[in-house]
Amino acid sequence: MSPRWQREKIGRLLALVLLLLWVGQPLAAGEPAMGAGGEIGHATYYAKRFAGRRTASGELYDHDKLTAAHSSLPFGTRVRVVNLANGREVTVTVNDRCRPRKIPFIDLSRSAARAIGFLSKGSARVRIIPAVAADPP
């Protein structure tokens, strides 16, 4: 191996390590996981068959409550969800997890989907705006 090739390899490795360290930094206390204006993403709603089942937070899923599943926001976080097609909005509480996706994604309860007007369509483009996280136990 030539010394130049070794220097380049070490430089790339160092850059990768620094990037991983930066990405892995925890958020400051109270800092939202998203920007203040939220993110534009995709929303769907829970199927009827999940009614009465336990969510990842331990609560029972109730389709009449304004709740949601999100891949990364802490349980108890209140999130404002705005339907971009009609401007209607609803505030929900995160109490479940969904699998991570490439685009911002939230899975709403049926009543939340009805409130912002996409129950008959099945999904919608939305703006997801985290409001306030619950106090830690």
Side-chain angles (χ1 to χ4, degrees):
M1 286 193 291
S2 71
R4 181 176 180 208
W5 185 83
Q6 287 176 332
R7 284 193 308 271
E8 289 174 358
K9 186 174 180 180
I10 290 170
R12 281 189 292 239
L13 183 60
L14 182 60
L16 178 62
V17 168
L18 291 174
L19 176 67
L20 291 174
L21 287 173
W22 179 74
V23 169
Q25 290 296 314
L27 296 174
E31 183 180 336
M34 303 175 201
E39 294 180 316
I40 293 178
H42 191 77
T44 60
Y45 62 91
Y46 283 83
K48 287 182 182 179
R49 69 174 186 251
F50 293 111
R53 292 188 187 179
R54 291 227 179 263
T55 63
S57 68
E59 296 178 39
L60 290 178
Y61 169 63
D62 181 353
H63 61 84
D64 293 325
K65 289 185 178 178
L66 298 176
T67 59
H70 192 274
S71 62
S72 61
L73 290 174
F75 294 138
T77 301
R78 309 248 316 140
V79 180
R80 200 167 88 222
V81 182
V82 181
N83 186 338
L84 297 177
N86 59 20
R88 291 166 68 178
E89 64 183 63
V90 65
T91 300
V92 296
T93 303
V94 174
N95 73 342
D96 203 3
R97 288 281 172 248
C98 57
R99 67 181 175 84
R101 309 210 174 160
K102 291 181 181 181
I103 62 167
F105 181 85
I106 193 161
D107 206 4
L108 301 174
S109 64
R110 292 179 67 81
S111 61
R114 185 179 298 114
I116 62 173
F118 76 88
L119 189 62
S120 61
K121 294 179 182 169
S123 65
R125 284 191 67 227
V126 295
R127 180 176 301 276
I128 304 166
I129 308 164
V132 179
D135 293 330

